[in-house]
Amino acid sequence: MLKYSVIDETLKALAEPTRRAIVERLSKGPASVSDVAAPFDMSLAAVVQHLQVLEESGLIKTEKIGRVRTCSIEPKGWGTLADWIADRRTVMERKFDRLGEILAEDDTPTNKRKRKGKQK
Amino acid sequence: MLKYSVIDETLKALAEPTRRAIVERLSKGPASVSDVAAPFDMSLAAVVQHLQVLEESGLIKTEKIGRVRTCSIEPKGWGTLADWIADRRTVMERKFDRLGEILAEDDTPTNKRKRKGKQK
DNA sequence: CGAATACTAAAGTGTATGCTTAAGTATTCG
DNA sequence: CGAATACTTAAGCATACACTTTAGTATTCG
């Protein structure tokens, strides 16, 4: 319930099997809403809702021409996601370099005594 | 719902601001449950629940010694996540090569798609 | 020992999310 | 034109999720 961010919407969008399946379909090429929906055992309206979440997150984009809406991957959204993960891994690996195998065995006592009683 | 998978739990775990903040804290080094919880304006029990989700997803690991549970990053979980994203991007980029700049630029309102490839 | 510490476990609550169905709006085709 | 197509919108519902509070269990310290 903290603040919103791009990475938040991106990860929320992908944290759903149906939406990941949609994304995997689109990563092979653009498709209409109906085409995207076809393989799924759910209503077209439900798939449309998933597509909206994906579009708002910036992972895909859509464009309506005539009565057909064509959906495709939006590379930019994937960049920010990959960057965030890469950042985390960089910090971790720097830590590994610095501390050797401490994380691997991690019995080091981080006994920072907190004497503040503030628990909430 | 479809079937569960490792990547599903991983992404669900990270699709939450508090859990990402925890992960960012731990990526700088191991910490006790209390230490992890300290910066957050919520009960310790709530933070423990987040830690459980993160541990079940394989992104962190914990070990209890005495009365202190120490939490740390589990690099393996991050590998599977990064791999999944890398896979998606690989497929996309192969597609971009094939379709040229169609996916990259079509923000322009004048979208005359030249159909120089099979669409489906 | 008994009190403080550091979690742990369980039950409950409000809201968000993933669906459904039904009805409506454009657009294309014969 | 009128019917078929391709969504679109809205409302409702059941479950999942992020918390809360309360109470309990180990472990350490004076």
Side-chain angles (χ1 to χ4, degrees):
Chain A
M1 302 281 185
L2 301 176
K3 61 182 176 183
Y4 253 26
S5 68
V6 177
I7 195 72
D8 194 75
E9 288 192 53
T10 304
L11 286 164
K12 275 198 164 76
L14 288 176
E16 221 284 335
T18 304
R19 285 196 289 264
R20 277 201 308 287
I22 290 173
V23 146
E24 291 183 6
R25 163 68 187 84
L26 292 180
S27 70
K28 293 176 178 66
S32 71
V33 171
S34 308
D35 285 351
V36 169
F40 297 104
D41 187 24
M42 68 179 70
S43 71
L44 192 141
V47 172
V48 169
Q49 284 163 21
H50 283 307
L51 286 169
Q52 282 166 355
V53 172
L54 285 168
E55 184 162 25
E56 277 156 29
S57 79
L59 288 167
I60 72 167
K61 61 180 181 246
T62 75
E63 188 194 14
K64 192 163 189 177
I65 298 172
R67 62 185 172 181
V68 176
R69 179 171 296 277
T70 301
C71 314
S72 53
I73 292 289
E74 175 64 88
K76 271 172 279 184
W78 293 83
T80 40
L81 175 60
D83 288 350
W84 183 83
I85 291 164
D87 285 352
R88 288 306 105 221
R89 300 190 90 197
T90 303
V91 176
M92 293 173 208
E93 267 139 39
R94 251 205 306 273
K95 212 64 198 171
F96 299 150
D97 291 347
R98 202 173 301 158
L99 298 178
E101 292 172 343
I102 285 179
L103 287 183
E105 56 187 63
D106 105 17
D107 291 338
T108 8
T110 16
N111 286 337
K112 305 182 63 173
R113 295 258 206 161
K114 296 212 132 179
R115 352 261 308 274
K116 309 174 45 173
K118 180 188 175 243
Q119 204 81 330
K120 306 187 173 174
Chain B
M1 302 302 172
L2 303 175
K3 61 180 177 184
Y4 254 29
S5 67
V6 177
I7 195 72
D8 194 76
E9 289 191 53
T10 304
L11 285 164
K12 276 200 163 76
L14 288 176
E16 222 283 337
T18 304
R19 284 196 291 263
R20 278 200 309 286
I22 290 173
V23 147
E24 291 183 7
R25 163 66 187 84
L26 291 180
S27 70
K28 293 176 179 65
S32 71
V33 171
S34 308
D35 284 351
V36 169
F40 297 103
D41 187 25
M42 68 180 68
S43 70
L44 192 140
V47 172
V48 168
Q49 284 164 20
H50 283 309
L51 287 169
Q52 283 165 355
V53 172
L54 285 168
E55 184 163 25
E56 277 156 29
S57 79
L59 288 167
I60 71 166
K61 60 177 183 256
T62 74
E63 188 193 12
K64 192 164 189 177
I65 298 170
R67 62 186 171 179
V68 176
R69 178 172 297 277
T70 301
C71 314
S72 54
I73 292 291
E74 176 64 88
K76 271 172 281 185
W78 293 83
T80 40
L81 174 60
D83 287 351
W84 183 82
I85 292 164
D87 285 353
R88 288 306 105 222
R89 300 190 91 196
T90 303
V91 177
M92 293 173 209
E93 267 140 36
R94 254 203 305 271
K95 211 63 197 172
F96 298 150
D97 291 347
R98 204 172 299 159
L99 295 178
E101 293 172 342
I102 288 178
L103 289 181
E105 60 179 71
D106 89 10
D107 285 335
T108 51
T110 52
N111 266 318
K112 287 296 178 126
R113 276 276 177 95
K114 18 182 163 176
R115 358 183 19 232
K116 55 183 291 189
K118 47 187 177 182
Q119 204 84 331
K120 173 173 182 250

